[in-house]
Amino acid sequence: MLLMREAFSEPTTRPLAEPVRVEAGQAGSIRVLRGQLLRITALGDGAVASLFGFSVADPAVWLSVHHTRVFSNSYLLGSGMRLVNNRRRPMMVLGKDSVKRHDLLLPGSTRGWLAERGYEGEGCMEAVAAELTRLNLSVPKLPDPINLFMHVGLTREGDLVPDTNLTKAGDSITCRVVMDTHFIVSACCTGIEGNDKPAPLGLSVAENLTNFTAE
């Protein structure tokens, strides 16, 4: 009987994704299982991380900035806030955050839009599409990202006002993931004044906060 119980018992450890470094101007990805922690770390001053997420079980379910705003009745990210998918179900919960300045309003940059504004290089959307192709993931559409570390203000009149990005190397945000998810993070130029100097990013996964290692 003991041998039978051992044979059918669930494994005590789960696969943990290896840390990923996303170079400035590129996109990278990491797979995070339900209950695990995802940490995104700025590896250079002024970093912006444009975050996308697609359900492992169904890539037609994605992290939705639009539904997150409506679900939380806010355009600001705060500790304990649930980030939801296009079915209005939570995908992750915001935990530790050393920056506390993020954008839930602006779309991802494109190569054409950047060129019009005098920037060189690939846009966020093209880099993310290329990463999806590398992963052999087919999705119905590319949603707008959650722009972590991006400093943009909103006036009382409704104007968007870019602020100088004060994110420093070593700053990070940590979320508890509640749905098995492929996360894609772009470190490409945003084309937004004050937030337009791409810097590398670190992606890491752990079961507990104490399990994180330095990037």
Side-chain angles (χ1 to χ4, degrees):
M1 184 65 69
L2 177 60
L3 290 176
M4 184 176 293
R5 278 200 295 266
E6 290 178 349
F8 287 96
S9 62
E10 293 186 359
T12 56
T13 59
R14 299 185 299 163
L16 209 62
E18 292 293 325
V20 173
R21 180 184 172 95
V22 183
E23 298 296 343
Q26 299 180 16
S29 59
I30 197 163
R31 187 172 185 252
V32 188
L33 302 180
R34 178 181 179 181
Q36 293 177 340
L37 297 173
L38 168 65
R39 174 167 290 176
I40 300 175
T41 304
L43 300 182
D45 295 350
V48 172
S50 296
L51 176 67
F52 300 76
F54 299 91
S55 165
V56 170
D58 181 4
V61 175
W62 60 79
L63 181 64
S64 172
V65 65
H66 307 298
H67 292 87
T68 294
R69 289 196 304 264
V70 173
F71 186 86
S72 301
N73 194 32
S74 176
Y75 66 93
L76 300 175
L77 282 181
S79 180
M81 185 170 171
R82 289 176 289 179
L83 285 67
V84 304
N85 59 37
N86 54 316
R87 308 284 172 83
R88 303 197 185 206
R89 303 298 298 172
M91 292 189 81
M92 57 201 305
V93 181
L94 176 61
K96 294 189 65 175
D97 178 7
S98 67
V99 178
K100 299 180 176 63
R101 291 291 300 273
H102 313 284
D103 169 65
L104 296 181
L105 297 173
L106 297 177
S109 63
T110 62
R111 184 186 297 112
W113 188 75
L114 289 175
E116 289 177 4
R117 296 173 63 85
Y119 296 97
E120 297 181 354
E122 194 166 48
C124 169
M125 304 307 278
E126 288 87 7
V128 170
E131 184 65 11
L132 285 167
T133 299
R134 188 187 72 81
L135 295 171
N136 198 29
L137 279 179
S138 177
V139 300
K141 61 171 288 186
L142 275 181
D144 287 338
I146 291 176
N147 297 305
L148 301 174
F149 312 146
M150 184 185 283
H151 291 29
V152 178
L154 185 65
T155 69
R156 188 180 298 273
E157 292 74 26
D159 297 326
L160 289 169
V161 181
D163 295 329
T164 300
N165 191 309
L166 302 179
T167 302
K168 299 298 182 184
D171 278 332
S172 68
I173 187 171
T174 304
C175 293
R176 176 74 68 179
V177 174
V178 296
M179 176 185 294
D180 293 355
T181 304
H182 290 293
F183 288 102
I184 301 178
V185 181
S186 169
C188 293
C189 180
T190 66
I192 302 300
E193 185 179 352
N195 298 265
D196 52 0
K197 294 179 171 54
L201 302 163
L203 314 179
S204 52
V205 180
E207 294 287 354
N208 302 289
L209 284 172
T210 55
N211 296 143
F212 278 113
T213 56
E215 279 81 4

